[in-house]
Structure formats: C-alpha cells, structure tokens
Amino acid sequence: MKEHYYDDLKIGDRFKSEPLKVTEKEVIDFAQKFDPQMFHLDRRAAERTLFKGLVASGWHTAALTMGLFVRMLNFAHGAIGLGVDELRWPNAVRPGDVITVETEILDLRPSRSKPDYGIIRLRNVTTNQQGEIVQTMLANAMVPRRSA
Amino acid sequence: MKEHYYDDLKIGDRFKSEPLKVTEKEVIDFAQKFDPQMFHLDRRAAERTLFKGLVASGWHTAALTMGLFVRMLNFAHGAIGLGVDELRWPNAVRPGDVITVETEILDLRPSRSKPDYGIIRLRNVTTNQQGEIVQTMLANAMVPRRSA
C-alpha cells in the first residue's frame, strides 16, 4: 500500500484492510503473556464458560486491528495514537476466524502545537469472515503532513 | 492474590498491582507482531522521531495493563470485558520502565440478563517508576457472583 500523509485524506474516506487469519496458537500465546484467563487459554476449559469455546482476548483483537490498520494506511513517519473511545467487542474472535478492518475518516484538523502534523479522528470496525462485528472503536491519531 | 467475586467489591475499593519491568526485547517483539512503526521497532530510528527514543506501542501498554489487572484481581471464572472508554496514553512506556496498575471500582450492578454475574465499572491507571501516568482507561466488565 502506498504511503499516506495527512494531506491525502478527506472526511468520509474509507479504507479496507487485507484479511488476516487468527490461529489457535496465536490466541493462546497472547493470553499466556497478557490475559491469562481460562476462556483465552485452554480449549477444553473454555467450553464450560459463557463463550462455549476458546476466544481471543479483546486486547488481542485490538492489537491485531492495529497491525492491519498500520499496514493498510502506511503513514509516512508513522501514526501516533492519542486516544481511543468506545472500544467494544460485540462478538469474540475465535481460532480460525479471518478478520478484516475498515477505517472511516471522521474528522481532520491541523495540529496546533506541531505544524508538521495533523490530527485525524477515525472509526475502525473489525469484522470476521461471516461479516459479524468483532470490534468497534473511535480513535484520534497524529499523522505527518506532506510538507513535513 | 485471593480469588475475587462481584460480591466482594464495593464502590470506591482500590487495588494496586505488583510492579512489572518492560524490556526492550518485549517492546520490539510486540511491535513486530502488532504495531510495526519505527518508533516501536528500532532504537536508532526512534531517536529521530517525536519520541526521541524507542517507545512501547500503546496497545502493548494496554495488554500489559490487562495482565497486571487479571493477576491482581484474579476473578473466579474470569472477568469478561464489555467495553473500554477514554483510553489515553499521556506518556509512553520506554524499555526498562517498571509499570504498576491501580484499579478503582466506580460502580457495581447485577447483570439483568445473567443472574450469576454482576457488571463492574472501573478506572485503571497505569504509572511508571517515576509516578508518571502512562495509561488511563474506564472499563465495564462482567464478573461472577459468589452465588454462581
């Protein structure tokens, strides 16, 4: 994907990432490091929980979404996250799921303190192979201007 | 840490996690998997960015915070995240930092749909060894009732 700058974006622009398959090993590895709860760690134990099977940590879904977003928009000099609101996980990611991220640009403004940067507000929606939403979030990020 | 249930908590309760040291290797490993941007990946390149040095991805800070939170509160049968608001990273985590999480219980209510569970609203504040705040967030989580 081509490099993007703040100046390339307009309110209402939409981008769709490549698909990414999530494996059981990745789900368990992430959980062991960061979210050691039985429904993320052990397939058999997870069957007896509300999820009725192994599910990825919401923070794993968030991290995978960031990876797809970063590779999709490929901001020159990078995108610096300022904050996230309304992070929700309406359905869990399960091993074998193939997820995709869609980004919509909601707002754009130049940075007051850093003239080489602009602030973008965006919505990221992550879906699985059945079109079910596994994550939604709003975020503000600081990205470079072409003049920089 | 002892197992916790919904019924053990009161509004205003506060908990403080064990400290956790974050290594350069962990910062780079997480970035390679989930947030491949130069200020998270390469010490030398990071020196030429706004951060003036290698910093952890905000999503890495969030994942480490979850790990400290889960081990600290150790909910019987686990805590299921329903959503997160106002996730902010006022300072970056840098290699060698030692982070700690403080949780405050803001609200408690029984689940309407699942009588064996209660919903807790909490604030998590993550600080480094100098007392600087590296992350704040509000979250709702579903946790088991003792009767369950």
Side-chain angles (χ1 to χ4, degrees), chain B residues 28-91:
Chain B
I28 293 170
D29 283 353
F30 188 98
Q32 285 173 338
K33 276 191 194 135
F34 300 115
D35 193 350
Q37 303 199 91
M38 68 183 108
F39 32 73
H40 304 317
L41 280 174
D42 182 292
R43 196 197 308 178
R44 204 169 283 264
E47 283 168 10
R48 298 191 300 271
T49 68
L50 282 187
F51 293 110
K52 303 194 186 308
L54 196 71
V55 296
S57 168
W59 297 106
H60 192 188
T61 304
L64 292 168
T65 295
M66 185 65 183
L68 289 169
F69 171 79
V70 163
R71 291 180 175 95
M72 167 172 65
L73 275 157
N74 188 28
F75 281 105
H77 320 301
I80 299 174
L82 300 178
V84 170
D85 291 296
E86 298 177 34
L87 177 59
R88 300 288 180 273
W89 299 288
N91 293 283

Side-chain angles (χ1 to χ4, degrees), chain A residues 14-127:
Chain A
R14 287 167 179 269
F15 302 87
K16 187 166 181 173
S17 79
E18 296 295 306
L20 177 74
K21 185 163 186 171
V22 184
T23 69
E24 180 174 292
K25 180 174 185 309
E26 289 166 343
V27 166
I28 294 170
D29 283 354
F30 189 97
Q32 284 173 338
K33 276 192 193 133
F34 300 115
D35 193 350
Q37 303 197 92
M38 68 183 107
F39 32 71
H40 304 316
L41 279 174
D42 181 293
R43 195 196 310 178
R44 204 170 285 261
E47 283 169 9
R48 297 190 302 271
T49 69
L50 281 187
F51 293 110
K52 302 193 186 309
L54 195 71
V55 295
S57 169
W59 297 107
H60 191 188
T61 303
L64 292 167
T65 294
M66 184 65 182
L68 288 169
F69 171 79
V70 162
R71 291 181 176 95
M72 168 173 63
L73 274 157
N74 189 26
F75 282 105
H77 320 301
I80 299 175
L82 300 178
V84 170
D85 291 295
E86 298 178 35
L87 178 59
R88 300 288 181 272
W89 298 289
N91 293 284
V93 171
R94 294 173 187 267
D97 277 1
V98 177
I99 62 170
T100 312
V101 177
E102 283 196 71
T103 297
E104 181 183 355
I105 306 297
L106 301 180
D107 201 12
L108 295 160
R109 62 178 174 81
S111 168
R112 276 185 289 265
S113 60
K114 297 192 172 60
D116 292 346
Y117 287 83
I119 313 287
I120 59 175
R121 182 157 184 83
L122 59 92
R123 178 184 290 115
N124 272 347
V125 177
T126 312
T127 51

